[in-house]
Amino acid sequence: MTDAHDTAADSSLRTTGGAPPDDGGSSATEAPIPLLEPREGIPPVIADETALARAIAAFEAGSGPVAVDAERASGYRYGQRAYLVQLRREGAGTALIDPVACPDLSALGDALSGVEWVLHAATQDLPCLRKIGMVPTRLFDTELAGRLAGFPRVGLGAMVESVLGFVLEKGHSAVDWSTRPLPEPWLRYAALDVELLVDLRDALEKELDRQGKLDWALQEFDAIASAPPPEPRKDPWRRTSGMHKVRRRRQLAVVRELWQTRDRIAQRRDVSPGKVLGDAAIVEAALALPANVHALAALNGFGHRVGKRQLEQWQAAVDRAKGLSEAQLPQPGQPVTGPPPPRAWADKDPVAAARLSAARAGVSALAERLNMPQENLITPDTVRRVCWEPPAVVDAESVAAALAGHGARSWQVEQVTPVLVEALSAKDAQAP
């Protein structure tokens, strides 16, 4: 173990970069130490069943939490599958696993069942890990822990630097991880991403405990681990960048047809949809409603680099949209469930708008006192729903039940209920 790793093992909380103060932490003036090599070197990539079986046995025999990370090829490939999985555990060292060569890692997931998994921004990696059979039963999210503890910057590099005093090299975060073979500098970067994750977890646990927030964090982690897979997004084409420019239903139909055509092509070719056709080009075609291939080719995004056959398939999508009956055209907006947009409250229900204003002010002040982002204290959607349809009788019990009914954790209910009772009671008293 190098001097750098000796220092990491003593994970007293530093205050570099505006981290929360700590009575026993290192000096904020200490220069961070570049972390250049994994402590046991770069491990070979596991790409066959024999090597995977050895790794599973080693990690099952290890001790303590296991650091887990995954690399995707966002912007290069279709979907969000994992192209490299990194793990580190005391007694097992670091493993780099190729989930293309070893697509079923359920045996590894089973071996780590009941073990606490340490991830950074867990909700980003859990979907792709789930697809290869890795689902944690317990986890610790170092990014979320940093938010709850009040750190102003919660990226992994910023957290490792401010908490542990080391600089991680982050130059390969956006590379094409589907590349094979993976270059050695990328593998070094990937191994270093889990090198200090458990050290970071231990230091953040101490800080959360010092602030009286550890139980809050554990409730949040339990909620992430027990959450079911998200439902497929309804009408994903509506998230096309620049959609706010598209007003008419016929134009919306063009966006839908072009988006769905692009998605089919991207899936078949296993490339990012943006590499097939940009969002800006889809919106431009929807606004122009080109009459033929020649008119389409004159639009931005459909220029000389687009071949005749491609132009014809895009124009065919436009023509399909233009040929739809009025009943087949999409509606301007998605069906709204729950309260209307807050900007409409003043006209629809001025009393509810006043309740929301008071509640937002109260939640903001409480979040500031607790030194955490408002959205981690309570989701804005939950506040809106309670303010739009408050309990018939506003008291601590009814407001707490309403919050819990919308999915708030018990610590959130405990903290936010008094604020909402005050906001709802004050504004209800003004109702006509």
Side-chain angles (χ1 to χ4, degrees):
M1 185 180 288
T2 65
D3 290 343
H5 293 108
D6 284 330
T7 306
D10 176 19
S11 55
S12 299
L13 196 67
R14 293 165 57 92
T15 56
T16 305
D22 181 77
D23 296 336
S26 305
S27 169
T29 61
E30 291 179 11
I33 303 168
L35 195 62
L36 303 177
E37 289 288 337
R39 66 193 78 178
E40 298 100 4
I42 304 171
V45 176
I46 295 169
D48 62 69
E49 294 303 319
T50 302
L52 178 60
R54 288 197 298 266
I56 292 172
F59 274 84
E60 189 171 22
S63 61
V66 57
V68 182
D69 191 21
E71 305 295 347
R72 300 177 298 278
S74 303
Y76 297 94
R77 295 289 182 175
Y78 184 87
Q80 294 295 315
R81 68 171 295 181
Y83 284 94
L84 187 70
V85 175
Q86 309 102 279
L87 303 98
R88 182 172 182 83
R89 192 181 189 195
E90 183 71 28
T94 297
L96 303 178
I97 304 175
D98 180 357
V100 177
C102 301
D104 182 5
L105 298 185
S106 56
L108 176 59
D110 292 342
L112 296 173
S113 179
V115 176
E116 182 186 82
W117 296 21
V118 184
L119 302 101
H120 192 81
T123 54
Q124 294 183 20
D125 286 340
L126 288 179
C128 70
L129 290 171
R130 185 186 297 273
K131 289 181 179 179
I132 53 178
M134 295 185 65
V135 183
T137 53
R138 296 169 52 213
L139 64 84
F140 189 107
D141 186 333
T142 49
E143 185 203 45
L144 181 52
R147 291 180 182 276
L148 295 174
F151 284 81
R153 297 166 60 229
V154 293
L156 180 58
M159 292 290 291
V160 166
E161 182 174 342
S162 64
V163 175
L164 301 176
F166 292 95
V167 177
L168 290 178
E169 193 274 308
K170 299 298 290 182
H172 303 302
S173 59
V175 298
D176 181 2
W177 287 95
S178 68
T179 301
R180 293 295 183 272
L182 287 164
E184 182 176 294
W186 299 12
L187 296 174
R188 180 182 296 107
Y189 157 88
L192 288 174
D193 261 5
V194 292
E195 182 81 358
L196 296 178
L197 206 50
V198 173
D199 298 283
L200 180 61
R201 171 242 180 269
D202 292 344
L204 289 171
E205 181 181 57
K206 291 179 182 177
E207 176 61 15
L208 288 165
D209 191 39
R210 187 187 72 81
Q211 294 186 24
K213 299 175 180 176
L214 181 56
D215 182 61
W216 303 357
L218 296 178
Q219 290 182 40
E220 293 298 302
F221 303 156
D222 286 345
I224 295 172
S226 61
E231 293 289 332
R233 192 183 301 277
K234 182 176 174 61
D235 290 346
W237 60 270
R238 292 184 183 272
R239 295 178 62 84
T240 303
S241 180
M243 275 288 291
H244 62 281
K245 303 175 186 176
V246 182
R247 305 288 187 184
R248 292 158 47 195
R249 293 177 64 198
R250 186 72 58 186
Q251 295 171 331
L252 289 172
V254 172
V255 172
R256 181 176 65 186
E257 290 292 335
L258 286 172
W259 190 98
Q260 292 175 345
T261 300
R262 179 184 71 174
D263 195 64
R264 288 192 295 270
I265 295 169
Q267 187 171 13
R268 184 177 71 246
R269 291 169 48 188
D270 190 18
V271 297
S272 168
K275 290 186 175 296
V276 176
L277 186 67
D279 281 7
I282 289 178
V283 170
E284 182 138 350
L287 296 176
L289 294 174
N292 50 48
V293 169
H294 180 74
L296 180 67
L299 301 177
N300 289 332
F302 298 93
H304 64 279
R305 293 185 180 181
V306 180
K308 180 181 178 183
R309 182 179 175 185
Q310 290 176 299
L311 283 172
E312 288 174 346
Q313 70 183 359
W314 300 131
Q315 185 61 44
V318 173
D319 291 341
R320 284 196 299 274
K322 291 166 71 174
L324 295 174
S325 68
E326 286 293 320
Q328 294 172 310
L329 297 178
Q331 295 299 319
Q334 292 176 290
V336 176
T337 58
R343 63 179 178 273
W345 284 33
D347 291 332
K348 291 179 177 292
D349 189 339
V351 174
R355 286 196 297 263
L356 180 62
S357 178
R360 282 174 161 176
V363 168
S364 177
L366 177 59
E368 188 172 349
R369 290 197 300 275
L370 295 175
N371 191 27
M372 70 173 63
Q374 293 182 45
E375 62 270 19
N376 293 116
L377 173 59
I378 191 73
T379 66
D381 180 68
T382 297
V383 174
R384 286 195 294 269
R385 288 175 182 272
V386 174
C387 289
W388 185 252
E389 293 184 352
V393 177
V394 174
D395 57 24
E397 184 177 357
S398 64
V399 171
L403 288 170
H406 291 303
R409 265 68 73 189
S410 61
W411 76 269
Q412 295 175 313
V413 172
E414 181 181 354
Q415 295 295 319
V416 175
T417 292
V419 172
L420 291 190
V421 168
E422 181 178 354
L424 297 175
S425 299
K427 295 305 167 184
D428 279 347
Q430 299 177 15

